[in-house]
Amino acid sequence: MAAQRQYEELARQLSAIGAVKRGLGRGLPADCPSGSAAVLVLLARHGEMRMSRLAELLAVDMSVTSRHVAHVAEKEWIHRDPDPADKRSRILRLTPEGKAKVAELTDLSIRTLTHYLHDWTDDEVVQLSTLLARLRDSFGDCRAASARLPHPAEETTRTPA
């Protein structure tokens, strides 16, 4: 297990990830902000789904998801079709225009990463990808109530009876 100072440094480095995400976001087309891009990429990766599943994957509430979905639907990048199993729900799926937008976003991301990581070796890029995937998997579903860590004030030391 890592020492406390190593976790402190990791926390500092992870807080800097926001700068990386903002850098990638600056490369997005003006008509596709980051929330809309996330919707499109998730639909491309996971296929058609209900809005509730999309909200889970985005790790945001339904009102935020609805705003993003409304934007991509307005751009005609997705269809919102009635769910045959529950007519009150909608199934979201990419349109051909949405698939083209995902291809554009993927190309932009690759060009941006290539620019900033030009002096990294292939092995370093693979190692970073592997470790980031492992970190994400370690956290699992961060929205789940069972994932809540106790606040230090809640921790107690008990003497066995």
Side-chain angles (χ1 to χ4, degrees), residues 35-49:
S36 297
V39 167
L40 296 175
V41 168
L42 287 170
L43 285 171
R45 184 177 302 141
H46 297 279
E48 64 182 38
M49 67 184 76

Side-chain angles (χ1 to χ4, degrees), residues 105-152:
L105 296 171
T106 300
D107 182 60
L108 286 168
S109 293
I110 290 169
R111 285 190 286 145
T112 302
L113 289 168
T114 300
H115 171 77
Y116 286 106
L117 305 181
H118 70 277
D119 58 343
W120 288 45
T121 67
D122 289 348
D123 286 342
E124 289 171 327
V125 173
V126 168
Q127 183 180 14
L128 177 62
S129 294
T130 301
L131 291 172
L132 286 173
R134 184 175 174 193
L135 176 65
R136 185 189 61 236
D137 290 345
S138 292
F139 276 78
D141 182 2
C142 295
R143 294 180 56 176
S146 62
R148 184 181 169 278
L149 294 175
H151 187 276

Side-chain angles (χ1 to χ4, degrees), residues 49-52 62 80-92:
M49 67 184 76
R50 286 182 174 184
M51 189 145 24
S52 58
M62 285 295 284
R80 295 182 282 192
D81 298 320
D83 183 345
D86 180 357
K87 299 292 184 199
R88 298 169 297 169
S89 296
R90 299 277 180 232
I91 298 291
L92 310 175

